[in-house]
Amino acid sequence: MASYLEIADDEKGHELDLFCVPRHYENDLEKVIIPHGLIMDRTERLARDIIRDMGGHHIVALCVLKGGYKFFADLLDYIKALNQNSDKSVPLTVDFIRVKSYCNDKSTDNVKVIGGDELSNLSGKDIVETGRTMQTLLSLLSECNPKMVKVVSLLVKRTPRSSGYRPDYIGFEVPDSFLVGYALDYNEYFRDLSHICILNDQAKEKYKV
């Protein structure tokens, strides 16, 4: 079972004025729930675990866009650093795929997948909420007959809507709140926020489509 850092349901988070938050978002957020520095430390540890487990396997690192791009880039930077500075390294190539399953703040049953080329191993990213999105993607990947598929997710949400799916590598297990920042969006807003924050109800209405 994957190890992870648990953010409790009663976690109060951190006041916004303790961090650098873009002024245009100051009235849209409740709290900072995962500061950027903690994200980076946890991502570095995930990179170490992947290198340890994958051995000499060739990894095709598949980024799930758009919300996955920041975590994906930082994870690969740590993997590349480990490749260059340790006795154990893994061959690495990169591909991208776009998965869309949200309308406003709701995860829907309609999962759209765009892109992705040759796949032999997978190290990707999703916010695993209900698990339906990743299960759909894994079903498509299985048609390519990969040797092995591994999923690394920065966040897994505790929610009664979960299908029970769990990734192979998990950064944080988080409460059932709508989170933005670190490339996670609400209708394309908040991707430029460095920390992971809880979106307030007024912002959901403000940016609703």
Side-chain angles (χ1 to χ4, degrees), residues 41-194:
D41 281 358
R42 186 75 188 112
T43 301
E44 183 177 14
R45 179 56 202 233
L46 290 173
R48 287 175 56 189
D49 291 345
I50 291 167
I51 289 284
R52 177 198 66 204
D53 296 344
M54 295 304 290
H57 291 286
H58 173 206
I59 297 178
V60 176
L62 181 66
C63 177
V64 179
L65 297 168
K66 294 180 183 177
Y69 81 84
K70 191 75 178 73
F71 173 57
F72 183 79
D74 289 334
L75 182 66
L76 288 196
D77 281 345
Y78 282 125
I79 290 176
K80 287 190 292 184
L82 288 168
N83 272 345
Q84 294 167 2
N85 298 297
S86 64
D87 295 333
K88 195 173 187 179
S89 64
V90 295
L92 183 68
T93 53
V94 175
D95 203 350
F96 298 87
I97 196 166
R98 184 173 179 184
V99 177
K100 185 174 179 62
S101 62
Y102 267 85
C103 179
N104 294 318
D105 61 340
K106 303 298 182 185
S107 182
T108 69
D109 290 321
N110 184 21
V111 179
K112 299 177 181 178
V113 179
I114 306 167
D117 295 326
E118 183 181 352
L119 303 169
S120 57
N121 284 299
L122 169 67
S123 177
K125 188 267 175 188
D126 185 25
I127 297 186
V128 178
E129 181 173 307
T130 64
R132 286 192 297 268
T133 300
M134 188 53 70
Q135 286 178 315
T136 299
L137 179 55
L138 289 173
S139 177
L140 293 172
L141 292 172
S142 68
E143 297 174 6
C144 302
N145 298 314
K147 294 178 183 178
M148 182 190 312
V149 176
K150 298 289 185 182
V151 177
V152 51
S153 175
L154 180 63
L155 305 177
V156 170
K157 199 175 276 191
R158 289 187 300 276
T159 172
R161 301 184 302 279
S162 173
S163 66
Y165 171 77
R166 302 285 289 185
D168 301 284
Y169 302 93
I170 300 169
F172 302 89
E173 188 181 81
V174 295
D176 192 12
S177 302
F178 197 87
L179 305 179
V180 294
Y182 193 66
L184 308 176
D185 77 302
Y186 178 71
N187 292 331
E188 300 302 326
Y189 292 93
F190 304 99
R191 295 195 194 275
D192 53 336
L193 181 63
S194 296

